[in-house]
Amino acid sequence: MRFFNIIFIFSFLGVITYAQKPEIKYINTAITVDGKIDEAVWNQVEKNTNFYNYLPTDIGLAKNQTSVKMFHNQEYLFVSAVYYDTTEKTQISTLKRDTSIFLSDAFVMILDTQNQEQNGYFFAVNSLGNQTDGLVGRDSEGYNLSFSWNAVWQSATFLNGKQKQYEIAIPLKFLNYNTENNTFGIQFYVRDIKNNSWTILKNVKRNYANLDLRFTEKFQVENLPNKSPSRFAFIPSITTNYQKDVGNSTEKTSFIPSLDMQYNLTSSLKLDATINPDFSQIDVDQQVTNLTRFSIFFPERRNFFLENSDLFANLGIYGANPFYSRRIGGDNNIQFGLKLSGNIAQKTRIGVLNVQTSEKSNVASQNYGVVVAEQQLNKNFTSTGYIINRQETNNFSFAEDYNRVTGLNLNYRSDDNKWIGLLNYSKSFSDGVFGNNHFYNAGIWYNKRGLNWNTSIIKLGENYITDVGFTPRLYNYDAINDVVVREGYLQTSSGIEYEKFYEKSKTLNSVRYLNYGVNNYFDESGRLIQSQNFLNSAVFFKDLSAVYYVVNYDYVDLKYGFDALGNGNAITPGIYNFGILKLGYNSANNQKFRYRFNIQKGTYYGGERTTAGAYLNYQLLPFANLELTYDINKINLNELGEETFHLTRFTGEVFFNNRLNWTTYIQYNTQIYNFNVNSRLQWEYKPLSYIYLVVSDNFNQQLTRQNWGVAFKMNYRFDF
């Protein structure tokens, strides 16, 4: 009898284990997406709950729990979520689409529909129904998030007393999935800005990003359709732009029609096409004060380049990347572009990109081509091979001027998720340039709660030329002789961070006792030409406000003249040692009025440098959001001169509703002698169909108008 009892117990445990296996059921029905969650179908679906704390503590189950349910009908993935708050109040920071939910009450889901931990989708809804979507992609040491990708999906919220209710419907045709692998990796997390907390479904410690695809819960999806419902998107647009050059008394009016198309060849392979695209940005890049000798990286925002963008954008590492899509179309207009990207097998992804530009004045027309193949070798290793080609064209024939880059990458992730490794090798081929044309990198990262460290070695040859890449340190501008010198280098980098958490303290959340990093650069003869040292500590209080210090110390063996002040007086070659101390304070993020400030004092290339910065943000939500940043850099280089660089940026946002907003940017940058005003009225009159009216005005440092313009842009998205 006892034997049969044991058999019964084990059988019962097996039934429980099976019943608790996460699943997304197929149910042939639909719901009204209104946030009320009152359809009978929700009673047939198992709930996912027992959310864990993530911040400000990552210990134990969350006090305020969330219940999430899911099912699909082979056309939509339906999701409902109920957050059991302790108050009826809610707080948000914006009503503009595709804005971070960091400062809002919100529900977030991440979908790794290939379950390969390489890339995924990000969907978020704040408590007043504002949508944010984007792509999660792997980079060299973790994962990053881009808000530039968009999909048409439905969401609604309902504030039911203390319950914050969310309802979502995502068309499966927007998701890249493989019917041979019916497992989706999914993570949910909830942001409650009122108590400054994050709670999460799958337990993740705070030393990992909450969008880390290695920590998703694995859901079995029942009866996925063999082929996703056909997705064909047809997006025509027109842009009319009037520009007046006040200084030269000239004016110009342009009318640009364009067309973008997207088509699902399979559920996991997508084709994007663009004809005569208008890539003029409605948003403006945020200006910075650049006191380095090298150019600054700005992220890609153009939709055509974003689908499966991690395939193309992570072929190298920061500062040595063979493909940087913003190089395309910068000097002349794009005539057309084609891109094929996605999975051709369960563990194989490809990306094929071709873009043709037109001839413009003295800039020849160019053809840009990229082929990338990514193969998941096993659970721990992924390899990526690629070929990049830039070639001058003459009508429909290729000219002799070309630049080609080919390479192979190998990524490693340990089973315990503590170790990440990366190997890169690449070689470039250019017309008339031979030898010393390689790039390699080897890096390793270790991460556990409270401690992480990393080390890497990077080598770029003098002739590693990437016309479509980002390798700023390879090019040295000599301000004395007014020439650019290409010079290879070897870089070694190391860093370590130790942070201790105080769960039982009434005042302290954590203390970052040590954060140290060093970058050493050697020329091709092996001589040390620069050593950058970074040291930081910080104290984080219970409300997550923080006080901190930073010490930056540089050794530079300057080989070429550097006009740091932009006044024509170049710093002469020689050895320089300089450093600066920074003290700062960041207020808590859950207040209507937020602020940060810092002061810095130190030396700079044999002179003195004093710096201060402030950030102010006041939220009049749901009606408006006001933000002001100000930075001042005062540099005295003795006989070479003295300059004070001011950088101010004001952002004013007015929200009429979730679809209509008015944003004004005012930027004043004395380093580039520019005062710019950009005011934009944006109306999303249909999902992902927009009308923009933009007024821009540019002045010099003396506030004399240089040019101004008015632009009108309208697109309409047809989905079939």
Side-chain angles (χ1 to χ4, degrees), residues 245-510:
D245 187 333
V246 177
N248 297 316
S249 298
T250 60
E251 56 185 52
K252 179 182 179 181
T253 301
S254 61
F255 177 80
I256 304 174
S258 64
L259 177 65
D260 289 295
M261 293 170 286
Q262 299 171 335
Y263 181 66
N264 277 11
L265 296 174
T266 69
S267 63
S268 59
L269 192 62
K270 303 181 187 298
L271 178 67
D272 291 84
T274 184
I275 300 174
N276 192 34
D278 169 33
F279 282 159
S280 61
Q281 287 301 304
I282 299 302
D283 274 322
V284 293
D285 285 321
Q286 184 170 336
Q287 296 183 16
V288 297
T289 300
N290 184 8
L291 297 178
T292 74
R293 293 173 286 134
F294 307 103
S295 58
I296 299 295
F297 179 88
F298 290 100
E300 179 61 80
R301 295 181 177 181
R302 301 173 294 183
N303 287 330
F304 172 75
F305 293 102
L306 292 173
E307 185 81 45
N308 286 304
S309 59
D310 66 298
L311 265 174
F312 302 93
N314 295 310
L315 301 180
I317 59 174
Y318 181 79
N321 202 331
F323 183 73
Y324 178 41
S325 57
R326 284 186 65 140
R327 300 280 190 217
I328 301 176
D331 297 324
N332 39 14
N333 296 327
I334 293 177
Q335 292 179 312
F336 66 84
L338 291 170
K339 185 176 69 173
L340 179 69
S341 60
N343 281 71
I344 58 173
Q346 182 176 340
K347 296 183 178 181
T348 306
R349 277 205 302 165
I350 64 166
V352 181
L353 172 74
N354 189 267
V355 177
Q356 178 68 44
T357 64
S358 61
E359 183 178 0
K360 182 179 180 182
S361 59
N362 61 344
V363 180
S365 59
Q366 304 287 336
N367 183 267
Y368 301 89
V370 185
V371 177
V372 182
E374 178 185 274
Q375 179 67 38
Q376 188 170 355
L377 303 176
N378 56 38
K379 182 180 179 181
N380 303 108
F381 288 95
T382 302
S383 65
T384 305
Y386 59 88
I387 300 174
I388 303 167
N389 183 65
R390 190 278 309 157
Q391 190 146 7
E392 183 180 329
T393 57
N394 183 8
N395 294 323
F396 292 101
S397 62
F398 289 104
E400 291 297 323
D401 180 36
Y402 67 86
N403 171 248
R404 296 177 187 129
V405 184
T406 184
L408 182 67
N409 302 333
L410 184 66
N411 290 80
Y412 169 78
R413 296 170 302 184
S414 66
D415 289 333
D416 61 7
N417 297 317
K418 292 180 180 179
W419 296 91
I420 293 177
L422 175 63
L423 293 175
N424 304 80
Y425 180 77
S426 177
K427 201 167 186 177
S428 70
F429 306 88
S430 301
D431 183 34
V433 180
F434 305 98
N436 203 11
N437 56 347
H438 60 273
F439 150 67
Y440 65 77
N441 164 71
I444 190 168
W445 291 263
Y446 175 79
N447 187 358
K448 76 171 188 177
R449 190 176 188 268
L451 176 67
N452 64 77
W453 61 267
N454 63 85
T455 187
S456 66
I457 183 169
I458 304 162
K459 177 71 166 66
L460 272 79
E462 175 186 338
N463 294 326
Y464 181 69
I465 301 172
T466 58
D467 290 349
V468 204
F470 184 73
T471 55
R473 190 170 277 271
L474 201 63
Y475 298 89
N476 299 267
Y477 175 65
D478 185 345
I480 296 176
N481 299 302
D482 192 25
V483 295
V484 175
V485 181
R486 193 172 65 243
E487 187 174 273
Y489 64 91
L490 173 74
Q491 175 186 349
T492 62
S493 300
S494 296
I496 185 170
E497 181 178 345
Y498 173 69
E499 185 172 0
K500 186 174 181 179
F501 308 107
Y502 295 89
E503 309 295 345
K504 297 180 180 180
S505 172
K506 295 182 179 180
T507 56
L508 293 181
N509 181 271
S510 66

Side-chain angles (χ1 to χ4, degrees), residues 542-642:
K542 279 299 183 184
D543 62 358
L544 297 185
S545 61
V547 60
Y548 64 92
Y549 79 86
V550 176
V551 175
N552 286 287
Y553 178 79
D554 279 57
Y555 163 87
V556 177
D557 184 353
L558 189 66
K559 300 177 69 174
Y560 307 101
F562 174 36
D563 186 4
L565 302 181
N567 61 2
N569 298 326
I571 301 171
T572 57
I575 294 177
Y576 297 89
N577 294 274
F578 53 91
I580 193 166
L581 171 65
K582 178 180 181 179
L583 302 175
Y585 175 79
N586 298 341
S587 72
N589 281 321
N590 61 345
Q591 307 299 318
K592 290 186 177 181
F593 177 63
R594 304 183 303 124
Y595 58 93
R596 301 191 295 266
F597 62 84
N598 68 80
I599 56 172
Q600 302 182 55
K601 180 69 175 178
T603 55
Y604 182 72
Y605 284 100
E608 296 182 349
R609 178 184 170 199
T610 303
T611 298
Y615 167 88
L616 306 174
N617 175 239
Y618 188 68
Q619 299 174 357
L620 297 166
L621 293 164
F623 308 109
N625 186 39
L626 307 176
E627 183 177 291
L628 176 68
T629 61
Y630 175 68
D631 290 285
I632 181 173
N633 272 274
K634 184 178 181 181
I635 300 174
N636 184 352
L637 293 182
N638 304 315
E639 68 274 5
L640 298 181
E642 181 178 351

Side-chain angles (χ1 to χ4, degrees), residues 51 67 106 173 222 377 441 454 490 533 550 576 652 684 696:
F51 276 53
S67 174
K173 64 184 179 181
E222 183 184 47
L377 303 176
N441 164 71
N454 63 85
L490 173 74
N533 294 266
V550 176
Y576 297 89
E684 187 182 11
S696 60

